Amino acid sequence: LAEELAAAEAVVVGAGAGLSTAAGLAYSGERFERYFSDFARRHGFRDMYSGGFFPYETPGERWAFWSRYVWVNRYAPIPGSAYDDLRDLIAGKDAFVITTNVDHCFQRAGFAKERLFYTQGDYGLLQCSGPCRQETWDNHGVMRAMVEAQGFAIAPDGGLLPPRDGAPGMTVPDELVPRCPRCGRPAAMNLRADGTFAEDAGWHEAAGRYGDFLRSRLGDGRRVLFLELGVGLNTPVIIKYPFWQMTERSPRARYACVNLRGASAPRAIEDRSTCVDGDIAAVLRELRALKEA
Protein backbone atom coordinates (compact mmCIF):
# COMPACT_ATOMS: atom_id res chain seq x y z
CA LEU A 1 0.00 0.00 0.00
CA ALA A 2 2.88 2.38 0.74
CA GLU A 3 4.28 1.63 -2.72
CA GLU A 4 0.90 2.28 -4.36
CA LEU A 5 0.57 5.60 -2.55
CA ALA A 6 4.06 6.63 -3.64
CA ALA A 7 3.35 5.70 -7.27
CA ALA A 8 -0.08 7.35 -7.45
CA GLU A 9 -0.41 10.48 -9.56
CA ALA A 10 -3.76 11.23 -7.91
CA VAL A 11 -5.50 9.85 -4.83
CA VAL A 12 -9.24 9.65 -4.23
CA VAL A 13 -9.98 8.91 -0.58
CA GLY A 14 -13.36 7.37 0.21
CA ALA A 15 -14.06 7.41 3.94
CA GLY A 16 -16.80 5.71 5.92
CA ALA A 17 -17.75 5.38 9.56
CA GLY A 18 -14.88 2.98 10.24
CA LEU A 19 -12.36 5.79 9.87
CA SER A 20 -14.00 7.91 12.56
CA THR A 21 -14.38 4.87 14.80
CA ALA A 22 -10.64 4.26 14.39
CA ALA A 23 -10.07 7.90 15.39
CA GLY A 24 -11.89 7.28 18.67
CA LEU A 25 -15.38 8.54 17.81
CA ALA A 26 -17.15 5.41 19.02
CA TYR A 27 -20.93 5.62 19.34
CA SER A 28 -21.26 2.94 22.01
CA GLY A 29 -19.40 1.63 25.03
CA GLU A 30 -17.58 3.89 27.48
CA ARG A 31 -17.98 7.01 25.39
CA PHE A 32 -21.74 6.53 25.16
CA GLU A 33 -22.02 5.86 28.89
CA ARG A 34 -19.98 8.96 29.71
CA TYR A 35 -22.37 11.33 27.96
CA PHE A 36 -25.70 9.48 27.70
CA SER A 37 -26.08 7.13 30.67
CA ASP A 38 -29.17 9.06 31.81
CA PHE A 39 -30.85 8.60 28.42
CA ALA A 40 -29.87 4.93 28.45
CA ARG A 41 -31.53 4.41 31.83
CA ARG A 42 -34.69 6.24 30.85
CA HIS A 43 -35.19 4.89 27.34
CA GLY A 44 -33.16 1.69 27.11
CA PHE A 45 -31.08 2.34 23.99
CA ARG A 46 -27.38 1.52 24.23
CA ASP A 47 -25.68 3.63 21.57
CA MET A 48 -25.83 7.15 20.16
CA TYR A 49 -27.03 6.06 16.74
CA SER A 50 -30.15 4.43 18.17
CA GLY A 51 -30.79 7.49 20.30
CA GLY A 52 -30.91 9.63 17.18
CA PHE A 53 -34.01 7.75 16.00
CA PHE A 54 -35.81 7.49 19.35
CA PRO A 55 -39.34 9.00 19.40
CA TYR A 56 -38.90 11.50 22.24
CA GLU A 57 -42.10 12.85 23.77
CA THR A 58 -41.08 16.52 23.65
CA PRO A 59 -38.91 18.70 21.41
CA GLY A 60 -37.01 19.80 24.50
CA GLU A 61 -35.89 16.27 25.31
CA ARG A 62 -35.12 15.51 21.68
CA TRP A 63 -32.85 18.51 21.38
CA ALA A 64 -31.26 17.81 24.76
CA PHE A 65 -30.11 14.49 23.30
CA TRP A 66 -29.14 15.91 19.92
CA SER A 67 -27.20 18.85 21.31
CA ARG A 68 -25.00 16.50 23.37
CA TYR A 69 -24.67 14.17 20.39
CA VAL A 70 -23.60 16.99 18.08
CA TRP A 71 -21.24 18.57 20.56
CA VAL A 72 -19.22 15.45 21.38
CA ASN A 73 -19.03 14.29 17.75
CA ARG A 74 -18.66 17.62 15.91
CA TYR A 75 -17.20 20.26 18.21
CA ALA A 76 -15.23 18.42 20.91
CA PRO A 77 -11.64 17.37 20.05
CA ILE A 78 -11.09 14.28 17.91
CA PRO A 79 -9.71 11.67 20.36
CA GLY A 80 -7.24 9.84 18.10
CA SER A 81 -4.70 10.70 15.40
CA ALA A 82 -6.11 8.79 12.41
CA TYR A 83 -7.21 11.91 10.52
CA ASP A 84 -3.92 13.70 11.21
CA ASP A 85 -1.98 10.66 10.03
CA LEU A 86 -4.04 10.46 6.84
CA ARG A 87 -3.57 14.18 6.20
CA ASP A 88 0.20 13.89 6.47
CA LEU A 89 0.24 10.66 4.50
CA ILE A 90 -1.30 12.24 1.40
CA ALA A 91 0.30 15.66 1.85
CA GLY A 92 1.74 16.80 -1.46
CA LYS A 93 -0.51 14.48 -3.44
CA ASP A 94 -3.17 15.57 -5.91
CA ALA A 95 -6.03 14.29 -3.77
CA PHE A 96 -9.77 14.53 -3.18
CA VAL A 97 -11.93 13.14 -0.37
CA ILE A 98 -15.49 11.84 -0.59
CA THR A 99 -17.07 10.75 2.68
CA THR A 100 -20.35 9.59 4.11
CA ASN A 101 -19.21 10.78 7.54
CA VAL A 102 -20.96 13.83 8.94
CA ASP A 103 -18.61 14.70 11.82
CA HIS A 104 -16.52 17.26 9.91
CA CYS A 105 -13.30 15.54 10.98
CA PHE A 106 -11.53 16.17 7.67
CA GLN A 107 -11.82 19.95 7.89
CA ARG A 108 -11.12 19.90 11.61
CA ALA A 109 -7.88 18.02 10.83
CA GLY A 110 -6.83 20.59 8.25
CA PHE A 111 -7.87 19.05 4.93
CA ALA A 112 -8.62 21.64 2.26
CA LYS A 113 -12.35 22.38 2.08
CA GLU A 114 -12.32 22.63 -1.70
CA ARG A 115 -11.13 19.03 -1.94
CA LEU A 116 -13.90 17.55 0.27
CA PHE A 117 -17.37 16.25 -0.53
CA TYR A 118 -19.62 15.39 2.43
CA THR A 119 -22.40 13.50 0.70
CA GLN A 120 -24.66 12.84 3.70
CA GLY A 121 -24.67 16.15 5.55
CA ASP A 122 -22.92 17.73 8.50
CA TYR A 123 -23.60 17.59 12.25
CA GLY A 124 -22.72 21.29 12.29
CA LEU A 125 -25.68 22.34 10.12
CA LEU A 126 -29.42 22.69 10.62
CA GLN A 127 -32.13 22.84 7.97
CA CYS A 128 -35.87 23.36 7.78
CA SER A 129 -37.72 20.12 8.50
CA GLY A 130 -39.97 20.74 5.49
CA PRO A 131 -37.73 21.76 3.95
CA CYS A 132 -39.16 25.01 2.66
CA ARG A 133 -35.84 25.73 0.88
CA GLN A 134 -32.66 23.88 0.01
CA GLU A 135 -30.74 25.86 2.61
CA THR A 136 -28.76 25.15 5.79
CA TRP A 137 -27.38 27.22 8.63
CA ASP A 138 -24.65 26.86 11.26
CA ASN A 139 -25.70 25.39 14.61
CA HIS A 140 -22.67 26.00 16.83
CA GLY A 141 -24.23 28.75 18.94
CA VAL A 142 -27.55 27.05 19.59
CA MET A 143 -25.91 23.67 20.32
CA ARG A 144 -23.64 25.30 22.88
CA ALA A 145 -26.58 27.07 24.48
CA MET A 146 -28.54 23.81 24.69
CA VAL A 147 -25.77 21.75 26.30
CA GLU A 148 -25.08 24.54 28.78
CA ALA A 149 -28.80 24.70 29.60
CA GLN A 150 -28.50 21.05 30.70
CA GLY A 151 -25.74 21.97 33.14
CA PHE A 152 -22.70 21.02 31.06
CA ALA A 153 -19.68 23.29 30.68
CA ILE A 154 -17.45 23.70 27.65
CA ALA A 155 -13.71 23.23 28.22
CA PRO A 156 -11.21 25.61 26.56
CA ASP A 157 -10.43 22.94 23.94
CA GLY A 158 -14.13 22.42 23.20
CA GLY A 159 -14.59 19.28 25.28
CA LEU A 160 -17.86 18.67 27.10
CA LEU A 161 -17.57 18.76 30.90
CA PRO A 162 -20.33 17.19 33.05
CA PRO A 163 -22.13 19.21 35.72
CA ARG A 164 -20.14 19.48 38.95
CA ASP A 165 -23.18 18.99 41.16
CA GLY A 166 -25.92 16.52 40.35
CA ALA A 167 -27.06 14.95 37.13
CA PRO A 168 -27.48 16.93 33.91
CA GLY A 169 -30.89 18.05 32.77
CA MET A 170 -32.57 16.05 30.03
CA THR A 171 -34.51 18.83 28.36
CA VAL A 172 -33.90 22.33 27.02
CA PRO A 173 -36.14 25.43 27.28
CA ASP A 174 -38.69 25.97 24.52
CA GLU A 175 -36.99 29.20 23.49
CA LEU A 176 -33.83 27.27 22.54
CA VAL A 177 -35.62 24.70 20.36
CA PRO A 178 -34.46 25.68 16.85
CA ARG A 179 -36.86 26.69 14.12
CA CYS A 180 -36.50 27.59 10.47
CA PRO A 181 -35.76 31.33 10.15
CA ARG A 182 -37.68 31.38 6.86
CA CYS A 183 -40.99 29.69 7.63
CA GLY A 184 -40.99 28.97 11.35
CA ARG A 185 -41.22 25.19 11.03
CA PRO A 186 -39.20 23.06 13.46
CA ALA A 187 -35.56 22.77 12.42
CA ALA A 188 -33.93 19.43 11.69
CA MET A 189 -30.40 18.14 11.49
CA ASN A 190 -28.90 18.34 8.01
CA LEU A 191 -28.46 14.55 7.76
CA ARG A 192 -29.62 12.34 4.92
CA ALA A 193 -32.19 10.08 6.57
CA ASP A 194 -35.11 10.48 4.16
CA GLY A 195 -36.36 12.60 1.28
CA THR A 196 -36.32 15.82 3.32
CA PHE A 197 -32.51 16.17 3.25
CA ALA A 198 -31.57 19.66 2.04
CA GLU A 199 -28.84 19.75 -0.60
CA ASP A 200 -27.74 23.38 -0.31
CA ALA A 201 -25.53 25.39 -2.65
CA GLY A 202 -22.38 24.24 -0.85
CA TRP A 203 -23.38 20.60 -1.30
CA HIS A 204 -23.86 21.03 -5.04
CA GLU A 205 -20.61 22.96 -5.44
CA ALA A 206 -18.69 20.17 -3.66
CA ALA A 207 -20.40 17.53 -5.80
CA GLY A 208 -19.38 19.44 -8.92
CA ARG A 209 -15.76 19.73 -7.82
CA TYR A 210 -15.64 15.99 -7.09
CA GLY A 211 -17.06 15.14 -10.51
CA ASP A 212 -14.61 17.49 -12.22
CA PHE A 213 -11.69 15.93 -10.33
CA LEU A 214 -12.64 12.42 -11.40
CA ARG A 215 -13.26 13.36 -15.04
CA SER A 216 -9.98 15.23 -15.41
CA ARG A 217 -7.72 12.72 -13.63
CA LEU A 218 -9.25 9.61 -15.14
CA GLY A 219 -9.80 11.25 -18.50
CA ASP A 220 -6.11 11.87 -19.15
CA GLY A 221 -5.12 8.38 -18.00
CA ARG A 222 -3.32 9.24 -14.77
CA ARG A 223 -2.46 6.56 -12.27
CA VAL A 224 -5.27 7.13 -9.77
CA LEU A 225 -5.40 5.32 -6.45
CA PHE A 226 -8.90 4.86 -5.02
CA LEU A 227 -8.21 4.54 -1.29
CA GLU A 228 -11.24 3.27 0.63
CA LEU A 229 -11.12 3.54 4.44
CA GLY A 230 -13.74 2.08 6.76
CA VAL A 231 -16.61 1.88 4.28
CA GLY A 232 -19.22 -0.74 5.12
CA LEU A 233 -22.26 -2.08 3.32
CA ASN A 234 -24.79 0.42 4.62
CA THR A 235 -24.51 2.74 1.60
CA PRO A 236 -22.04 1.00 -0.77
CA VAL A 237 -23.45 2.80 -3.84
CA ILE A 238 -21.84 6.08 -2.72
CA ILE A 239 -18.18 5.04 -2.41
CA LYS A 240 -17.46 1.31 -2.59
CA TYR A 241 -19.24 0.29 -5.81
CA PRO A 242 -18.23 3.42 -7.76
CA PHE A 243 -14.59 2.90 -6.70
CA TRP A 244 -14.72 -0.69 -8.00
CA GLN A 245 -16.36 0.39 -11.25
CA MET A 246 -13.99 3.28 -11.94
CA THR A 247 -10.97 1.07 -11.23
CA GLU A 248 -12.28 -1.59 -13.62
CA ARG A 249 -12.89 0.97 -16.39
CA SER A 250 -9.51 2.71 -16.00
CA PRO A 251 -6.52 0.44 -16.82
CA ARG A 252 -4.02 2.55 -14.86
CA ALA A 253 -6.21 2.96 -11.79
CA ARG A 254 -5.60 1.07 -8.56
CA TYR A 255 -7.93 0.21 -5.69
CA ALA A 256 -7.01 -0.11 -2.01
CA CYS A 257 -9.24 -0.97 0.92
CA VAL A 258 -8.39 -0.81 4.62
CA ASN A 259 -11.08 -2.19 6.89
CA LEU A 260 -11.21 -4.29 10.02
CA ARG A 261 -12.85 -7.59 8.99
CA GLY A 262 -14.26 -6.01 5.85
CA ALA A 263 -11.47 -5.58 3.27
CA SER A 264 -12.23 -7.11 -0.12
CA ALA A 265 -12.21 -6.44 -3.85
CA PRO A 266 -14.08 -8.02 -6.77
CA ARG A 267 -12.30 -10.55 -8.94
CA ALA A 268 -12.38 -8.22 -11.95
CA ILE A 269 -9.85 -5.88 -10.31
CA GLU A 270 -8.03 -8.21 -7.91
CA ASP A 271 -4.74 -7.86 -9.80
CA ARG A 272 -4.89 -4.08 -9.24
CA SER A 273 -6.15 -4.13 -5.65
CA THR A 274 -4.54 -3.99 -2.23
CA CYS A 275 -6.75 -5.07 0.66
CA VAL A 276 -5.65 -4.67 4.26
CA ASP A 277 -7.75 -6.34 6.94
CA GLY A 278 -6.75 -4.42 10.05
CA ASP A 279 -7.24 -1.49 12.35
CA ILE A 280 -7.29 1.66 10.23
CA ALA A 281 -5.58 3.84 12.84
CA ALA A 282 -2.67 1.39 13.17
CA VAL A 283 -2.33 1.03 9.40
CA LEU A 284 -2.26 4.80 8.86
CA ARG A 285 0.36 5.23 11.60
CA GLU A 286 2.56 2.62 9.97
CA LEU A 287 2.12 4.08 6.50
CA ARG A 288 2.99 7.54 7.78
CA ALA A 289 6.10 6.17 9.49
CA LEU A 290 7.16 4.44 6.27
CA LYS A 291 6.71 7.67 4.33
CA GLU A 292 8.76 9.65 6.83
CA ALA A 293 11.54 7.05 7.15
Side-chain angles (χ1 to χ4, degrees):
L1 182 51
E3 292 170 355
E4 289 290 358
L5 279 163
E9 296 169 316
V11 178
V12 183
V13 176
L19 177 59
S20 285
T21 300
L25 293 175
Y27 281 19
S28 60
E30 186 277 333
R31 193 164 176 266
F32 170 76
E33 292 294 332
R34 189 190 324 160
Y35 299 114
F36 298 99
S37 59
D38 50 353
F39 280 93
R41 286 192 299 269
R42 177 179 291 182
H43 298 301
F45 54 77
R46 306 303 304 173
D47 61 81
M48 297 184 213
Y49 187 77
S50 299
F53 292 94
F54 190 84
Y56 299 101
E57 292 185 2
T58 67
E61 188 183 18
R62 177 174 181 268
W63 283 106
F65 173 85
W66 269 104
S67 59
R68 293 189 210 176
Y69 188 126
V70 169
W71 197 269
V72 300
N73 292 304
R74 172 65 173 78
Y75 296 117
I78 303 169
S81 66
Y83 281 92
D84 293 334
D85 291 335
L86 177 61
R87 178 200 62 219
D88 293 347
L89 184 61
I90 64 173
K93 287 289 185 182
D94 183 23
F96 205 105
V97 174
I98 177 173
T99 182
T100 53
N101 295 342
V102 294
D103 48 29
H104 214 62
C105 284
F106 282 101
Q107 276 186 251
R108 291 158 65 193
F111 287 74
K113 180 180 178 180
E114 62 273 11
R115 291 294 181 92
L116 294 174
F117 179 26
Y118 289 90
T119 65
Q120 306 296 76
D122 182 349
Y123 283 149
L125 298 176
L126 294 174
Q127 65 168 74
C128 175
S129 58
C132 64
R133 289 173 173 82
Q134 296 295 302
E135 295 178 351
T136 62
W137 64 94
D138 181 85
N139 68 23
H140 180 273
V142 70
M143 291 297 169
R144 179 169 187 141
M146 286 193 284
V147 296
E148 289 178 337
Q150 297 172 68
F152 290 93
I154 307 299
D157 66 355
L160 192 64
L161 303 176
R164 291 185 177 181
D165 301 312
M170 295 180 64
T171 190
V172 300
D174 290 344
E175 60 267 24
L176 289 181
V177 172
R179 291 187 171 273
C180 174
R182 297 277 195 176
C183 71
R185 284 190 183 98
M189 295 298 303
N190 181 232
L191 305 173
R192 192 187 300 277
D194 53 33
T196 64
F197 176 68
E199 296 178 353
D200 63 8
W203 188 97
H204 285 284
E205 290 166 6
R209 289 192 294 267
Y210 178 61
D212 290 343
F213 185 92
L214 293 175
R215 282 188 291 273
S216 61
R217 276 60 173 185
L218 293 172
D220 61 12
R222 291 186 217 183
R223 184 173 174 130
V224 177
L225 174 64
F226 290 97
L227 177 58
E228 180 190 305
L229 301 171
V231 175
L233 293 174
N234 189 21
T235 53
V237 297
I238 297 174
I239 295 173
K240 185 180 290 290
Y241 294 168
F243 275 22
W244 289 354
Q245 293 161 353
M246 288 186 285
T247 301
E248 185 174 1
R249 291 196 301 263
S250 308
R252 296 195 68 215
R254 300 292 188 272
Y255 170 74
C257 177
V258 183
N259 208 329
L260 187 62
R261 296 182 295 276
S264 65
R267 187 164 297 175
I269 60 170
E270 63 181 351
D271 60 332
R272 290 185 285 130
S273 297
T274 303
C275 296
V276 181
D277 185 342
D279 178 77
I280 298 170
V283 172
L284 292 175
R285 279 196 302 271
E286 187 170 352
L287 288 169
R288 180 179 174 181
L290 287 170
K291 179 184 177 182
E292 295 173 350

